[in-house]
């Protein structure tokens, strides 16, 4: 059974950075890719980017290019999302999601529980 | 990027009724790479349908997807109490993958 367990709630100040983790279990980690999707309060879902652990290759939405870094550690079967230069509009629940393909195909079979990131001065 | 517009924003129905949700794309989702997710309050989304009409593992057959090109539909044949939730469509044809704004199915 696939489980994606994310790190806990974060409160950050504008201009700082946040790094959220997502540990996968019950899967052969390198056989899949992982993406990060966020959801601002009362809003829809927004794909930020993804990583292919087998090669370490990443793909980002242009909106977040230069501000987000997604990585994967095969030794701990954990994926990370770091977002820098935080602003109030980045307040959202951040989800990691498993793609059933080793490449970033954009379909999400399994999701983490979500991590609330609040950006406030 | 492909913009997805879902309608209606809210659907008020009674258990046992049929729900029809629409998702319209700003350009053709040419490979039919359109998914539907269900999201309940405080929970992560759950994949229901991929490739426009393929039910995910464990999804009841009262859920069905249809459509092609720019117009897609999710139908719930007979609403059960556990089906009242928000439904999101998503295209994964052209990056960046994008989602609609969601349709809330609420109890009338």
């Amino acid at each position: 059974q696939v489980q994606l367990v994310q790190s806990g709630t974060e409160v950050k100040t504008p201009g700082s950075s946040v790094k959220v983790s997502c540990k996968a279990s019950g899967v052969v980690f390198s056989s899949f890719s992982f993406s990060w999707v966020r959801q601002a309060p009362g809003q829809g879902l927004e794909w930020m980017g993804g990583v292919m652990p087998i090669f370490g290759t990443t793909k980002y939405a242009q909106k977040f290019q230069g501000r987000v870094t997604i990585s994967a550690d095969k030794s701990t079967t954990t994926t990370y999302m770091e977002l820098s230069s935080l602003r109030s509009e980045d307040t959202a629940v951040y989800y990691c999601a498993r793609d059933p393909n080793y490449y970033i195909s954009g379909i999400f079979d399994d999701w983490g529980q979500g991590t609330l990131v609040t950006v406030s001065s | 990027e492909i913009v997805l517009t879902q309608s209606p924003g809210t659907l008020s129905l009674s258990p046992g009724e049929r729900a029809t949700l629409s998702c319209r794309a700003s350009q053709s989702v040419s490979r039919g790479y359109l998914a539907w997710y269900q999201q309940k309050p405080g929970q992560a989304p759950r994949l229901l349908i991929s490739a426009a009409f393929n039910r995910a593992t464990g999804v009841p057959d009262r859920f069905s997807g249809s459509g092609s090109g720019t117009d897609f539909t999710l139908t719930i044949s007979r609403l059960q109490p556990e089906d009242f939730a928000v439904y999101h469509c998503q295209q994964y044809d052209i990056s960046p993958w994008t989602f609609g704004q969601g349709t809330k199915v609420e109890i009338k």
Side-chain angles (χ1 to χ4, degrees):
Chain A
Q1 181 185 349
V2 179
Q3 269 203 306
L4 302 176
V5 179
Q6 299 183 219
S7 50
T9 298
E10 300 268 9
V11 179
K12 295 291 182 180
T13 54
S16 66
S17 298
V18 68
K19 190 170 186 177
V20 183
S21 67
C22 171
K23 180 169 176 62
S25 60
V27 289
V28 178
F29 189 67
S30 293
S31 296
F32 306 101
S33 64
F34 295 86
S35 278
W36 288 85
V37 176
R38 77 177 186 180
Q39 186 171 35
Q43 301 300 308
L45 300 163
E46 186 173 32
W47 177 74
M48 301 176 69
V51 62
M52 298 166 54
I54 188 170
F55 299 125
T57 309
T58 53
K59 184 184 186 82
Y60 299 120
Q62 189 166 6
K63 173 178 177 177
F64 299 99
Q65 197 89 33
R67 209 161 65 93
V68 70
T69 303
I70 295 173
S71 59
D73 183 336
K74 289 184 285 187
S75 67
T76 60
T77 66
T78 300
T79 179
Y80 298 91
M81 186 284 300
E82 184 169 21
L83 188 63
S84 61
S85 302
L86 289 169
R87 33 209 189 231
S88 58
E89 310 89 88
D90 294 318
T91 294
V93 175
Y94 289 76
Y95 294 102
C96 64
R98 183 187 70 93
D99 192 313
N101 300 294
Y102 75 90
Y103 57 94
I104 303 165
S105 69
I107 184 72
F108 309 122
D109 272 3
D110 296 289
W111 296 67
Q113 84 276 19
T115 296
L116 174 61
V117 175
T118 302
V119 183
S120 174
S121 54
Chain B
E1 69 179 47
I2 296 179
V3 176
L4 300 178
T5 302
Q6 292 186 241
S7 61
T10 301
L11 200 50
S12 298
L13 294 168
S14 301
E17 290 194 293
R18 181 185 188 90
T20 303
L21 288 68
S22 172
C23 178
R24 178 162 288 178
S26 60
Q27 62 190 80
S28 180
V29 181
S30 58
R31 295 179 291 171
Y33 286 175
L34 192 288
W36 291 92
Y37 298 85
Q38 177 193 66
Q39 187 176 30
K40 297 180 180 178
Q43 295 186 17
R46 169 199 177 197
L47 177 66
L48 296 177
I49 302 281
S50 63
F53 58 85
N54 292 323
R55 272 190 302 278
T57 303
V59 174
D61 60 8
R62 63 180 180 272
F63 291 91
S64 62
S66 62
S68 63
T70 59
D71 291 295
F72 297 86
T73 301
L74 174 70
T75 302
I76 311 171
S77 58
R78 291 173 308 279
L79 281 165
Q80 300 299 303
E82 63 268 27
D83 299 336
F84 291 93
V86 175
Y87 293 84
H88 306 272
C89 62
Q90 179 225 347
Q91 67 81 22
Y92 54 106
D93 186 26
I94 297 175
S95 178
W97 326 128
T98 51
F99 295 83
Q101 81 281 17
T103 289
K104 181 179 182 180
V105 178
E106 65 176 22
I107 300 176
K108 186 174 182 180

